[in-house]
Amino acid sequence: MIDRRSEEYKKRSGDRMARRYRADRRFRLYGQAALVFGALALCILMVSIFSSGYTAFFRTQVALDVELDPDVLGVAAAEQEHLSLEQADYYTVVNRAIYNAIPGELERSDRKLAKGLISNGASVELREMVLENPALVGRTVKVNFTASSDLDQLHKGNVPRDVEEGLRRINDKQLAWYDRWVQEGRVSSTFNWNFFTSGDSRNPEMAGIGGAITGSIFTLLCFVLSFPVGVAAAVYLEEFAPKNKWTDMIEVNINNLAAVPSIIFGLLGLAILLNVFNMPRGTPVVGGMVLALMTLPTIIIACRASLKAVPPSIRQGALAMGASPMQVTLHHVLPLALPGTLTGTIIGLSQALGETAPLLMIGMVAFIVDIPGGVTDPSAVLPVQIYLWAESAERGFVEKTSAAIMIILAFLVTMNLFAIYLRQRFERRW
Amino acid sequence: MALAATAFALLVFSSFIIGQSRARASAGSSGLKLHSLPNYHGCYVALWAGVPALLILLLWLALEPVFLRSIVLDTIPERTASMSEQQLSVLFSEIQNKADGAFGITAADESLTRAIDSYKSLKRTSHFAMLAVFFSVCVLCLLFARSRIAPAFTARHAVEKAFNAFLFLSSLIAILTTIGIVCSLIFESIRFFQLVPFTDFVFGAKWSPQTAMRADQVASEGAFGAVPLFVGTILIAFIAMCVATPVGLFAAVYLAEYASKRTRVVAKPILEILAGIPTVVYGFFAALTVAPYVKDTAEALGLAASSESALAAGLVMGIMIIPFISSLSDDVINAVPQSLRDGSYAMGATKSETIKQVIVPAALPGIVGAVLLAISRAVGETMIVVMAAGLAANLTANPLSNVTTVTVQIVTILVGDQEFDSAKTLSAFALGLMLFFVTLLLNVIALRIVKKYREKYD
Amino acid sequence: MENQDKVKQMNGSGVKPGLAAEPTMRAQGKSEKVRDVAPADHRTPKAKSRGVNVYYGAKQALFSIDLDIFENEVTALIGPSGCGKSTFLRCLNRMNDVIDICRVEGKIEIDGDDIYSSGLDVVQLRERVGMVFQKPNPFPKSIYDNIAYGPRIHGLAEGKADMDEIVETSLTKAGLWNEVKERLHDPGTGLSGGQQQRLCIARAISVSPEVILMDEPCSALDPIATAHIEDLMFELKENYTIVIVTHSMQQAARVSQRTGFFHLGELVEVGKTEQIFQNPVDQRTQDYITGRFG
């Protein structure tokens, strides 16, 4: 027996207890540190993306006085038709407007510098404006043109101006003109709707994610076809399949498939869908099929779990009423398991929305300006657009990339909130 | 096309009505009780009307190009006689493209124009024939099914059988996917290993897959020794696991054993958000924020670091994997029965002693399984390394230098133009095969361990 | 030991122990009645509870329990399921702390130390008060490590030889040594149910506790294993104070010297086992032991 009243025991155990509790506190601290690390990583990620991305939602524009002279445009007053207006020489008009906004005579090299302050897309902007309102021809109007990416970044403060000239994309001369424009109130900032509606572009200031969003929606439309297949497979395995080696194999196979790297599914799509079945490269239909195959295991596993959660008493009750096994499943079990299945599918959907690697394999990396019109048009999708912009060297694409990430995260959060809502609204505890 | 689809849909729908009313009528006239509800008879007829026709349509679409090809190429024997199989394919797709008007019809020579014309007319004929066959099969099957309807006919059984077959086929898709993956990887890999010996690939220490594009071009031979890629992959995965395993495990233990309910409510969503962020975002984060930071820090410490270091990619990949490990470990820790905890606390153990000496050992198989799954995830992860790790195949274990991985090379090789007869393109499939088998092995082992573990405590 | 014998002789002489006016008492009305039926005892109790109320959230599970537990005796707690006897048992080594919503009021003393006082270390308390659970719960370790776990965490063994000795003594005391001495390094989970439960008893006594709590230790066992455990309790009570919760009245009658009857969270009656079973004071006790309910 231990004499717990002895002084010696008390002292020894006191020391020991102090040591043990220290160890306990230390261990607890590790746990807290781990959580803090995770939270910190998330914070840094979010902050670094938001801080570099929010400026993309604003567009710097420069107001220039444009003289829409029919002669310069190349359209004589008599033949002001759409066809000729479409092909008119807006480029020169815009350039003149730029030169006019700068005092003094411009050298040839200066003209180039001056043009570098306004986006290459300015002539297109002017064209659209004129086509919308042909009556403008012959008048002088004040037009807000999108600034070039270099000026845009400078105006937003994303690039420093107080560094050596050689380290800047905008040289001292351009800087002086810019300052003058600011004084004249020509430079302003506006919400960048263009970013949401237009497709990709070589010029960062004109690039938008409209095309990528459309492509993603088309891709997910094709992807959604995997829902009935996934549910059917889960129902078969859970409710009808005989328990034998064969179904065991299917089950093991599904579990393994869920953990196969996504890029392998891209190789599958490339070798089978593109090379064997000759499906069109880089299109939402192929992308959707690859993503569907990739997320099918996730959906099957989620659906099986919610089928499993339906208590056997419900099946037995229905069977006792004389329902056939198929009727039991369709009338009783499946409706009860549907919320869980939907939740799983939405999670699969959000996984598919963010997936990039397999889409690179099937050629969805092309530079596509047009917004796709259907599932068989080559198109980009959001994550691939992010990848493409992230790989571009131009400084202006950094904010675009971050902004696109913000948009994709917004989509994902919405989808997951919806999944959580579904789960809480319909979840039953048995 | 849309017209045909609408017609087909209408046909199937009306066949449902026909079956239904026919069943009612037969029951009414004979006075017998129907075996199955009229709806089942309707479904039965509709299935007969729809399914065989659709199957024939699919078969037709699959076989049409083959027949068209041989017929069309036979119209221009003078061109095709001396052509290899490869060239024939190219020629045929050229004909197809031109016929479909993809590049405008600018066929220079007469024989090609002839082939295009014959292709076009054949295609048109085939199209009409297909529609005719499709709809006649549809109607014939409808009539056949309708003739079988009688009060005693077991329509429900037939419909359920068909439905069961659909369910079964759906579950087969998972198998077919696996077979598809294995076949596509193996066939292309075999072609690769005909060009490059297997041993050179697995044991070679030099990777530079630039092969000569033309026979007369002066270029390096191209070396396909994948060891640097394997080492790079392992290095980055190792760094990732060094971050993710302790953090994920401690987070899981803390959440399961120490945390109050309120902490859990806050912490779990944080981990879930980390898990839900697309990998391309992590890749951008690694390249934009972490890589420069790693480089600056290393240089401040007087170490040479490349701007695309293995460390940056590994760190970010580790962050990505944290929630994966923590949620899997959380599950296995929660599966440890409460009675073991009670037993340990009743012995006078502190929380950390209970965790370290009872719970973690009890959950160890599950945790090992989780870590293995995480490793397989790290090895197969693509976007982070594509964006943050380099392309240079350095054979090094220095985390500050840039290395490349299997997945990076697959992406680099296959993005852009592909020549399916060059060793360069095919090597991507060989790499894919390696990747597939390694991850498969890890998954099989991990899933088996986890399954055994679950059985123990169920 | 002599002293204790003396105490034993004085058992049941009818003098009140003078604890009637304990300041910690809560629900006066109820405890009054309990004290009336509790036989008085001259001995100093090993453990005593006064006015213990236990709540699970808003629901009260125990109402003002006053109970004395004496050294070198088996005290049995009986009563229908859900009557709170296990809850009370778990108060004695504060295992209820593990449950978040559980709240304990009142006073429980072991050797005069208030075990719910803030100065008391729950880890040290549990070293003194061991526990055996309803279902055998050996750790997923070897038999040896199962026994060595307690001495190791409490630092009771000086070296390997010391530890070997503790393991052997504990297993011997639990009557398991001869069955497992050849396979000490096999997993403890590989033993049969009865052996596992004796392993858990050996584990509990490895740290030389003063009190051993047994929560229906035989309910998962077959009759032969049960007989084993009951014999073991008989031997163990020579050195330890044992409190056992049991569903089986026969078992209580066989192994215990004192018995307490719980009903709906109240301690209805407590006294010498023979008295409770042969001549209960309270009608509810009478009804329960004659099988009218429960």
Side-chain angles (χ1 to χ4, degrees):
Chain A
M1 285 294 264
I2 303 160
D3 183 5
R4 291 203 165 85
R5 306 242 159 243
S6 76
E7 283 308 310
E8 193 240 338
Y9 172 81
K10 274 185 183 158
K11 184 182 177 311
R12 205 165 54 96
S13 88
D15 292 351
R16 206 182 149 71
M17 284 319 299
R19 205 163 62 238
R20 284 171 67 190
Y21 278 123
R22 270 203 302 280
D24 195 50
R25 274 196 300 276
R26 208 158 49 232
F27 195 75
R28 194 190 163 94
L29 202 70
Y30 294 153
Q32 285 165 337
L35 281 184
V36 169
F37 180 84
L40 209 65
L42 184 64
C43 280
I44 296 175
L45 191 151
M46 290 297 174
V47 167
S48 84
I49 285 180
F50 277 66
S51 63
S52 67
Y54 76 96
T55 48
F57 294 111
F58 298 96
R59 184 168 61 123
T60 308
Q61 52 188 17
V62 180
L64 299 177
D65 302 303
V66 185
E67 206 178 319
L68 286 164
D69 185 349
D71 293 331
V72 183
L73 280 170
V75 283
E79 39 182 348
Q80 270 185 28
E81 287 165 27
H82 269 36
L83 191 72
S84 51
L85 272 181
E86 271 171 21
Q87 290 160 346
D89 187 3
Y90 299 101
Y91 182 72
T92 315
V93 175
V94 172
N95 284 348
R96 287 195 178 180
I98 298 172
Y99 307 148
N100 288 339
I102 295 165
E105 226 11 67
L106 291 174
E107 305 266 318
R108 198 181 170 74
S109 61
D110 289 345
R111 292 188 169 198
K112 206 169 167 224
L113 287 178
K115 278 193 277 181
L117 293 177
I118 300 294
S119 167
N120 285 346
S123 50
V124 179
E125 286 177 339
L126 184 65
R127 193 185 102 170
E128 272 165 19
M129 209 174 118
V130 173
L131 286 181
E132 212 168 89
N133 185 6
L136 291 176
V137 175
R139 286 161 49 187
T140 300
V141 282
K142 203 166 186 122
V143 181
N144 280 318
F145 287 110
T146 303
S148 76
S149 179
D150 294 333
L151 188 71
D152 183 47
Q153 293 301 309
L154 184 83
H155 185 70
K156 286 169 177 169
N158 288 348
V159 289
R161 52 178 294 165
D162 45 1
V163 290
E164 232 178 284
E165 189 175 8
L167 296 172
R168 274 187 267 122
R169 304 257 306 164
I170 297 251
N171 68 13
D172 288 343
K173 216 175 230 170
Q174 288 172 306
L175 206 56
W177 296 335
Y178 161 71
D179 288 338
R180 195 189 153 82
W181 282 354
V182 172
Q183 271 174 10
E184 290 171 359
R186 289 183 191 275
V187 183
S188 63
S189 202
T190 168
F191 191 76
N192 194 356
W193 285 111
N194 191 38
F195 180 63
F196 294 95
T197 52
S198 64
D200 198 4
S201 166
R202 297 273 182 224
N203 305 317
E205 72 277 7
M206 300 306 286
I209 55 164
I213 290 180
T214 321
S216 269
I217 289 172
F218 281 133
T219 306
L220 292 186
L221 273 184
C222 298
F223 162 81
V224 163
L225 291 177
S226 70
F227 175 68
V229 174
V231 172
V235 165
Y236 178 75
L237 291 174
E238 199 56 40
E239 304 285 327
F240 296 106
K243 296 280 168 268
N244 56 23
K245 271 213 138 86
W246 175 239
T247 45
D248 265 5
M249 203 187 87
I250 297 186
E251 179 162 3
V252 168
N253 177 54
I254 287 173
N255 285 336
N256 279 321
L257 216 49
V260 166
S262 58
I263 191 169
I264 301 283
F265 286 93
L267 290 177
L268 169 79
L270 174 60
I272 305 277
L273 296 180
L274 295 189
N275 286 357
V276 176
F277 290 120
N278 273 320
M279 295 176 99
R281 258 177 83 83
T283 52
V285 61
V286 180
M289 281 174 78
V290 168
L291 293 179
L293 289 181
M294 194 190 82
T295 36
L296 196 60
T298 316
I299 295 176
I300 295 179
I301 290 170
C303 184
R304 286 191 72 179
S306 46
L307 285 172
K308 241 184 214 140
V310 176
S313 58
I314 289 192
R315 295 183 183 87
Q316 284 159 7
L319 281 173
M321 292 295 295
S324 72
M326 191 66 75
Q327 288 169 326
V328 172
T329 305
L330 291 182
H331 299 170
H332 298 279
V333 180
L334 204 52
L336 290 174
L338 212 55
T341 310
L342 276 179
T343 314
T345 308
I346 293 174
I347 288 168
L349 198 67
S350 57
Q351 199 184 331
L353 176 62
E355 194 56 66
T356 320
L359 301 180
L360 301 184
M361 298 289 94
I362 55 155
M364 287 187 103
V365 273
F367 170 73
I368 289 154
V369 179
D370 298 331
I371 290 173
V375 292
T376 50
D377 287 351
S379 69
V381 291
L382 265 177
V384 173
Q385 191 67 69
I386 291 169
Y387 168 69
L388 286 173
W389 283 347
E391 297 291 282
S392 315
E394 287 209 50
R395 181 69 183 75
F397 276 118
V398 172
E399 64 165 26
K400 298 281 168 179
T401 315
S402 300
I405 287 175
M406 284 157 75
I407 304 251
I408 200 173
L409 289 180
F411 270 110
L412 290 175
V413 166
T414 317
M415 279 158 81
N416 280 298
L417 283 181
F418 186 58
I420 291 170
Y421 166 76
L422 270 184
R423 192 159 56 196
Q424 280 175 351
R425 176 81 175 69
F426 295 106
E427 191 182 45
R428 267 172 229 247
R429 292 234 168 255
W430 303 100
Chain B
M1 211 53 213
L3 189 72
T6 321
F8 178 63
L10 277 177
L11 203 57
V12 170
F13 181 70
S14 57
S15 62
F16 176 80
I17 305 286
I18 291 171
Q20 215 181 20
S21 54
R22 164 96 178 174
R24 284 216 182 89
S26 74
S29 64
S30 63
L32 290 170
K33 194 177 175 301
L34 281 173
H35 169 271
S36 314
L37 293 174
N39 276 351
Y40 283 104
H41 290 275
C43 284
Y44 176 78
V45 179
L47 279 173
W48 264 107
V51 176
L54 279 176
L55 285 180
I56 285 182
L57 181 73
L58 280 180
L59 197 70
W60 192 290
L61 287 176
L63 292 181
E64 189 193 57
V66 182
F67 282 107
L68 280 183
R69 184 185 144 141
S70 69
I71 297 171
V72 167
L73 292 181
D74 279 348
T75 56
I76 41 171
E78 69 278 8
R79 270 175 88 99
T80 55
S82 59
M83 280 177 137
S84 71
E85 189 58 29
Q86 198 83 38
Q87 287 165 313
L88 285 177
S89 295
V90 173
L91 178 66
F92 183 64
S93 52
E94 190 187 347
I95 293 172
Q96 270 182 314
N97 283 336
K98 291 211 167 130
D100 293 344
F103 303 110
I105 303 163
T106 49
D109 62 287
E110 180 269 337
S111 67
L112 202 58
T113 318
R114 199 167 72 234
I116 290 169
D117 287 344
S118 93
Y119 175 83
K120 274 180 162 171
S121 71
L122 274 173
K123 183 127 195 190
R124 208 173 303 121
T125 321
S126 159
H127 192 71
F128 283 119
M130 181 180 79
L131 283 181
V133 170
F134 178 73
F135 280 106
S136 50
V137 166
C138 189
V139 171
L140 281 179
C141 290
L142 193 164
L143 292 177
F144 166 72
R146 184 175 172 276
S147 74
R148 293 195 57 185
I149 288 176
F153 178 63
T154 55
R156 182 168 56 77
H157 291 190
V159 171
E160 288 187 353
K161 233 183 228 165
F163 196 71
N164 211 334
F166 165 68
L167 296 182
F168 176 70
L169 288 177
S170 301
S171 75
L172 269 193
I173 287 189
I175 296 271
L176 287 179
T177 311
T178 311
I179 295 174
I181 288 174
V182 172
C183 286
S184 58
L185 291 179
I186 284 186
F187 283 140
E188 309 291 349
S189 297
I190 288 175
R191 285 171 65 193
F192 173 71
F193 290 128
Q194 283 165 351
L195 299 172
V196 176
F198 181 72
T199 45
D200 286 8
F201 176 69
V202 177
F203 300 112
K206 188 169 182 299
W207 177 270
S208 64
Q210 309 321 324
T211 41
M213 281 308 188
R214 297 188 308 274
D216 57 332
Q217 195 175 356
V218 184
S220 62
E221 253 304 277
F224 294 94
V227 170
L229 312 191
F230 297 153
V231 171
T233 308
I234 292 169
L235 178 65
I236 289 182
F238 177 76
I239 296 169
M241 294 312 293
C242 283
V243 176
T245 310
V247 176
L249 213 51
F250 270 111
V253 165
Y254 185 81
L255 285 179
E257 302 291 329
Y258 282 103
S260 64
K261 212 168 172 193
R262 198 182 296 162
T263 320
R264 260 190 298 250
V265 167
V266 178
K268 282 231 162 134
I270 289 181
L271 291 175
E272 276 167 20
I273 293 173
L274 275 180
I277 292 177
T279 54
V280 68
V281 177
Y282 280 113
F284 180 64
F285 175 60
L288 179 80
T289 312
V290 180
Y293 179 74
V294 166
K295 186 175 153 72
D296 292 349
T297 314
E299 275 164 3
L301 295 171
L303 297 167
S306 93
S307 59
E308 295 180 320
S309 58
L311 189 60
L315 275 176
V316 174
M317 196 191 281
I319 292 171
M320 182 199 83
I321 291 175
I322 289 170
F324 192 70
I325 289 199
S326 76
S327 78
L328 284 174
S329 318
D330 196 39
D331 286 351
V332 296
I333 287 171
N334 282 326
V336 172
Q338 181 63 28
S339 70
L340 286 183
R341 291 186 183 85
D342 284 352
S344 178
Y345 291 136
M347 293 298 299
T350 61
K351 252 187 179 165
S352 65
E353 285 160 354
T354 305
I355 292 164
K356 277 186 273 189
Q357 299 188 36
V358 176
I359 295 175
V360 170
L364 197 61
I367 293 173
V368 169
V371 170
L372 284 181
L373 281 177
I375 294 177
S376 115
R377 183 101 188 244
V379 167
E381 171 48 43
T382 310
M383 290 323 289
I384 294 178
V385 281
V386 165
M387 294 166 82
L391 287 173
N394 294 325
L395 184 54
T396 170
N398 176 6
L400 293 175
S401 66
N402 76 358
V403 295
T404 190
T405 72
V406 173
T407 47
V408 171
Q409 288 304 318
I410 296 177
V411 170
T412 326
I413 290 169
L414 289 184
V415 168
D417 293 332
Q418 301 144 3
E419 301 254 332
F420 265 82
D421 50 353
S422 79
K424 184 184 167 191
T425 305
L426 292 173
S427 70
F429 285 88
L431 289 174
L433 188 69
M434 291 285 153
L435 181 65
F436 179 70
F437 274 111
V438 168
T439 51
L440 188 70
L441 196 69
L442 285 169
N443 296 340
V444 169
I445 297 172
L447 291 173
R448 187 157 284 195
I449 293 175
V450 171
K451 197 178 171 200
K452 275 233 172 93
Y453 168 76
R454 292 219 171 274
E455 280 164 0
K456 197 164 117 195
Y457 289 123
D458 269 350
Chain C
M1 274 302 174
E2 258 176 82
N3 199 15
Q4 282 170 1
D5 285 345
K6 254 185 214 161
V7 172
K8 242 180 210 170
Q9 281 160 15
M10 294 194 291
N11 200 357
S13 59
V15 182
K16 283 202 168 192
L19 286 162
E22 274 289 335
T24 48
M25 223 119 53
R26 303 280 148 96
Q28 290 290 343
K30 273 175 184 164
S31 58
E32 206 69 45
K33 201 166 106 202
V34 172
R35 231 172 307 114
D36 287 347
V37 299
D41 204 314
H42 284 305
R43 299 173 295 169
T44 321
K46 178 77 185 171
K48 61 180 183 186
S49 77
R50 290 295 176 267
V52 171
N53 295 314
V54 176
Y55 304 85
Y56 287 114
K59 191 178 162 285
Q60 189 165 7
L62 286 179
F63 297 90
S64 186
I65 305 296
D66 295 353
L67 180 68
D68 291 346
I69 291 156
F70 295 99
E71 206 157 3
N72 299 29
E73 265 189 4
V74 177
T75 305
L77 307 179
I78 59 169
S81 353
C83 65
K85 51 194 191 308
S86 287
T87 304
F88 180 73
L89 193 77
R90 291 167 71 94
C91 289
L92 292 175
N93 67 343
R94 290 181 54 178
M95 278 304 281
N96 285 331
D97 292 11
V98 179
I99 304 162
D100 286 336
I101 55 166
C102 183
R103 189 159 54 85
V104 180
E105 286 175 356
K107 190 166 197 171
I108 299 176
E109 289 181 357
I110 292 180
D111 282 336
D113 302 331
D114 181 355
I115 65 168
Y116 279 93
S117 79
S118 56
L120 186 121
D121 186 342
V122 67
V123 166
Q124 280 177 313
L125 168 72
R126 290 178 186 152
E127 190 190 339
R128 286 163 66 187
V129 184
M131 187 166 189
V132 177
F133 294 84
Q134 186 169 3
K135 252 179 75 187
N137 56 352
F139 301 136
K141 300 163 174 276
S142 70
I143 294 171
Y144 184 96
D145 286 334
N146 259 286
I147 309 294
Y149 179 70
R152 211 171 264 155
I153 58 176
H154 295 295
L156 300 180
E158 296 297 339
K160 172 99 172 78
D162 215 11
M163 186 63 89
D164 287 350
E165 199 195 316
I166 291 179
V167 170
E168 184 176 344
T169 335
S170 309
L171 283 170
T172 313
K173 278 189 192 160
L176 198 59
W177 175 250
N178 286 328
E179 291 163 57
V180 301
K181 64 183 173 195
E182 303 298 326
R183 46 180 177 139
L184 284 176
H185 295 283
D186 289 1
T189 41
L191 298 171
S192 72
Q195 286 175 324
Q196 285 191 8
Q197 194 62 302
R198 277 181 283 150
L199 180 67
C200 292
I201 293 175
R203 187 175 73 190
I205 60 185
S206 66
V207 292
S208 310
E210 295 155 24
V211 182
I212 300 175
L213 310 175
M214 297 192 177
D215 189 357
E216 300 185 34
C218 303
S219 65
L221 304 181
D222 64 47
I224 295 172
T226 304
H228 249 310
I229 307 272
E230 286 180 5
D231 290 347
L232 188 57
M233 272 186 252
F234 197 76
E235 285 164 29
L236 289 174
K237 82 168 202 299
E238 296 305 321
N239 295 317
Y240 305 96
T241 307
I242 296 178
V243 185
I244 174 174
V245 161
T246 177
H247 262 306
S248 152
M249 281 176 283
Q250 287 83 349
Q251 186 173 54
R254 281 196 300 267
V255 300
S256 71
Q257 283 73 52
R258 273 165 64 84
T259 299
F261 171 63
F262 279 74
H263 183 55
L264 298 177
E266 284 179 54
L267 178 58
V268 175
E269 188 170 357
V270 62
K272 292 181 91 177
T273 300
E274 309 91 86
Q275 181 249 314
I276 293 284
F277 279 95
Q278 284 159 15
N279 190 19
V281 176
D282 195 286
Q283 184 60 36
R284 287 171 290 179
T285 320
Q286 173 86 29
D287 289 350
Y288 183 68
I289 60 176
T290 52
R292 298 251 175 90
F293 72 92

